[in-house]
Amino acid sequence: MSSQIPVKEIDPNTDGPSDNNKKKPETVELYASRKKIYVRAVTGLFQRIRFFSLMALMGMYFLFVWVTFDGQPLIHFDLPAREFHLFGGTFYPQDFFLLAAMLIICAFGLFFITTLFGRVWCGYTCPQTVWTFIFMWVEERIEGSRNKRIKLDKAPNSPDKVIRKSAKHIAWLLIALATGLTFVGYFYPIRDLLADLATLDANGWAYFWVGFFTLATYMNAGWMREQVCLYMCPYARFQSVMFDRNTRVVSYDPNRGEPRGSRKKSADREELGLGDCIDCGLCVQVCPTGIDIRDGLQYECIGCALCIDACDSVMDKMEYPRGLIRYTTENELEGRTSKLLRPRTFGYGALLMLMIGAVVVTIVTRVPVDLDVIRDRGSMFNYNGRGWVENTYTLKINNLSEVSREYRIEVDGIESARLLRGNDPISVDASGHRSVPVVVEVDPEDLEDINTGITFRIEALDTIDVSDETDSQFIGPRPR
Ligand code: SF4
Ligand code: SF4
């Protein structure tokens, strides 16, 4: 896309607009096409930490979908049955607030960590980083080092180039397919999914979602890479509001590094009037987003610390102290002391603790049965043969536990209230639900109003710890 935008030229002598402004509109490109980044491989402490964290996360993602615990999948979102199995617990739509609370905890956790250490989430754990890392690793194995890849891309087509490029894309597609299958496997039992896909018995949506996630993984990690972080991820845009002068982020130390300049290892930098940066450009070549950390804090920086490893290796070779690029704070760079604990870390930390506490208490005190009562809207009330008033209800019992249970129903709140129907124990399967019609009779002498409160209670027969109760209304005649 291009557009004619009149650009003001500044007269270098006066700092004001020059006469040329009147005549010459200049064409400015509003769209810059992506420049392919050839990332140089690097080894070092932070790369090793990244490697182990990425492997652990990938391992959990691909493994957990196969693991069962006590006969139940470890993690499974059973949408048709509206059940969510998470680490041995089963959750239902009525537990939705727990899911919301967990998402809030994740958000506050992210804010808290970002306030302390910047974008460590992006650099070490974000799925986009994890999968891009794997795809880049595969690329390096097949096409070779950075220089070889640049040469290969510039070379005319040849059998070697076609074979290497095809092998890379096939490998990427296989990883993407495994990712798509695994993701759908969290919603559609993985063993059934694979069998149904192989025999073409799977639901059409299963094919669609596997295809969608395969393509999304292939495009995001293979082709778009840093573009996702730069243009699609909202977190990159608003994370800077959580930064302050005490946030520890990957930074270049200009006091130590400048003035930069190349020199021989044996040269005396003080004599040359140079800082520690030898201007080798290695920190830029290893950067997955293609930025130069020496230009200061930039929103493109995902905090991966690869430039730290690269620069430390250069410092080792030059026999200079490590840490020209390091995790540090703006205050420390300016020679001031940094504070770890400050109002915003206290604020996020306190909210985080509060939410975690609330979720733990809710899960620990969660009753594994839920009772819902619906009054029969077809009739207000009936008189029975002995002149007592009858109301009809439907009780919905959700057994939220992993075992089948029998329940006893009781009514309370009106002295003479008695169950005419619904006296027998009600059996409900594990994680099942059942609707039970119930008729209650009441002596009209006990009714002081048209509406009288009544309470239904269910109790498990096998344990005293499992019970639930729900209030409803008993409707009777207008009192005389
Ligand atoms: S790697 Fe270090 S020495 Fe080399 S250009 Fe970057 S900051 Fe300077
Ligand atoms: S500048 Fe680049 S290499 Fe350095 S931490 Fe940021 S994203 Fe990583």
Side-chain angles (χ1 to χ4, degrees):
M1 192 198 309
S2 67
S3 172
Q4 294 277 312
I5 294 182
V7 175
K8 285 186 179 175
E9 286 180 12
I10 303 298
D11 186 327
N13 297 322
T14 63
D15 273 354
S18 75
D19 290 345
N20 292 343
N21 290 334
K22 291 165 195 150
K23 307 169 209 152
K24 282 203 255 164
E26 195 174 306
T27 302
V28 175
E29 287 293 328
L30 295 181
Y31 171 76
S33 59
R34 180 194 177 215
K35 282 196 191 119
K36 186 168 177 182
I37 298 171
Y38 294 91
V39 179
R40 182 189 280 271
V42 64
T43 51
L45 173 67
F46 294 103
Q47 180 67 341
R48 277 197 292 282
I49 294 173
R50 245 161 73 86
F51 177 80
F52 286 117
S53 88
L54 302 187
M55 285 302 118
L57 291 168
M58 287 283 266
M60 283 192 274
Y61 175 74
F62 285 112
L63 192 68
F64 280 4
V65 76
W66 294 95
V67 178
T68 53
F69 176 80
D70 220 5
Q72 293 284 355
L74 197 62
I75 302 177
H76 181 55
F77 304 97
D78 189 344
L79 296 181
R82 304 204 295 165
E83 290 173 8
F84 308 100
H85 302 279
L86 285 176
F87 301 102
T90 302
F91 299 88
Y92 300 87
Q94 53 268 42
D95 298 317
F96 186 78
F97 71 96
L98 274 177
L99 183 65
M102 283 179 196
L103 290 176
I104 293 171
I105 287 174
C106 290
F108 279 126
L110 190 59
F111 298 163
F112 182 65
I113 294 288
T114 305
T115 306
L116 290 175
F117 303 112
R119 291 175 69 180
V120 282
W121 157 262
C122 301
Y124 295 86
T125 50
C126 170
Q128 176 65 21
T129 307
V130 174
W131 264 261
T132 301
F133 174 87
I134 298 294
F135 275 46
M136 285 189 344
W137 184 84
V138 168
E139 190 171 56
E140 173 116 1
R141 299 281 91 66
I142 296 174
E143 292 187 356
S145 64
R146 178 176 186 267
N147 290 344
K148 285 187 182 158
R149 293 200 305 276
I150 295 173
K151 245 166 106 180
L152 188 70
D153 278 1
K154 284 187 180 153
N157 280 336
S158 65
D160 177 60
K161 182 170 179 177
V162 171
I163 289 170
R164 283 182 191 277
K165 292 277 173 196
S166 308
K168 178 180 82 173
H169 287 285
I170 290 169
W172 280 359
L173 278 167
L174 287 175
I175 297 170
L177 178 63
T179 306
L181 285 169
T182 304
F183 190 84
V184 176
Y186 282 106
F187 296 83
Y188 190 132
I190 187 78
R191 292 171 182 82
D192 298 347
L193 175 70
L194 295 182
D196 291 352
L197 289 174
T199 54
L200 302 182
D201 284 335
N203 181 309
W205 285 109
Y207 292 99
F208 171 79
W209 286 116
V210 170
F212 177 84
F213 286 110
T214 301
L215 191 65
T217 308
Y218 172 71
M219 292 305 295
N220 286 348
W223 292 90
M224 295 165 70
R225 295 189 175 176
E226 80 289 348
Q227 305 282 300
V228 176
C229 310
L230 302 189
Y231 302 117
M232 293 166 70
C233 176
Y235 179 55
R237 298 285 167 165
F238 73 79
Q239 42 106 20
S240 57
V241 300
M242 287 166 247
F243 285 17
D244 59 24
R245 302 180 66 83
N246 294 294
T247 304
R248 203 159 282 279
V249 290
V250 177
S251 312
Y252 166 74
D253 185 346
N255 297 327
R256 209 188 117 184
E258 300 297 319
R260 66 186 78 161
S262 60
R263 83 282 317 249
K264 284 194 179 130
K265 184 181 166 187
S266 54
D268 185 333
R269 56 190 190 276
E270 276 167 27
E271 248 175 44
L272 293 170
L274 292 173
D276 282 359
C277 174
I278 65 166
D279 209 12
C280 60
L282 206 62
C283 50
V284 182
Q285 290 175 18
V286 300
C287 177
T289 61
I291 59 167
D292 187 341
I293 189 69
R294 294 173 298 171
D295 294 341
L297 182 64
Q298 294 147 76
Y299 85 90
E300 293 96 334
C301 176
I302 58 168
C304 65
L306 293 184
C307 52
I308 299 185
D309 283 336
C311 193
D312 279 349
S313 71
V314 176
M315 295 296 108
D316 289 350
K317 278 187 199 130
M318 296 298 293
E319 295 179 2
Y320 296 167
R322 288 179 160 208
L324 176 57
I325 302 176
R326 62 185 183 272
Y327 276 105
T328 187
T329 68
E330 219 177 314
N331 273 341
E332 283 176 9
L333 281 177
E334 290 170 7
R336 288 193 282 265
T337 48
S338 281
K339 284 187 204 149
L340 183 67
L341 299 176
R342 43 205 200 271
R344 70 171 69 194
T345 48
F346 270 123
Y348 288 135
L351 284 168
L352 191 60
M353 290 300 124
L354 209 70
M355 288 300 297
I356 291 174
V359 167
V360 169
V361 168
T362 308
I363 290 177
V364 168
T365 57
R366 182 171 170 262
V367 180
V369 67
D370 179 63
L371 173 67
D372 199 11
V373 178
I374 302 165
R375 241 198 115 264
D376 181 9
R377 296 183 197 281
S379 69
M380 297 287 277
F381 61 89
N382 296 317
Y383 284 105
N384 62 21
R386 60 177 183 145
W388 282 31
V389 180
E390 288 182 5
N391 275 202
T392 305
Y393 304 84
T394 301
L395 269 53
K396 292 196 167 180
I397 304 171
N398 284 315
N399 179 358
L400 306 179
S401 67
E402 309 301 325
V403 290
S404 297
R405 284 219 153 96
E406 287 198 318
Y407 301 93
R408 174 179 47 233
I409 303 173
E410 290 173 358
V411 278
D412 202 0
I414 305 173
E415 200 179 336
S416 59
R418 201 166 67 92
L419 283 173
L420 285 183
R421 193 175 162 197
N423 278 308
D424 297 331
I426 312 294
S427 169
V428 186
D429 291 339
S431 306
H433 45 85
R434 196 158 159 198
S435 294
V436 185
V438 164
V439 178
V440 178
E441 69 163 6
V442 167
D443 182 348
E445 296 294 318
D446 288 342
L447 300 174
E448 291 170 1
D449 207 342
I450 296 174
N451 286 310
T452 308
I454 186 168
T455 301
F456 289 87
R457 179 179 168 82
I458 51 168
E459 284 177 0
L461 298 185
D462 62 326
T463 169
I464 52 166
D465 295 332
V466 178
S467 63
D468 192 24
E469 59 182 42
T470 299
D471 294 334
S472 185
Q473 294 290 319
F474 190 93
I475 298 182
R478 189 176 294 280
R480 287 178 217 126

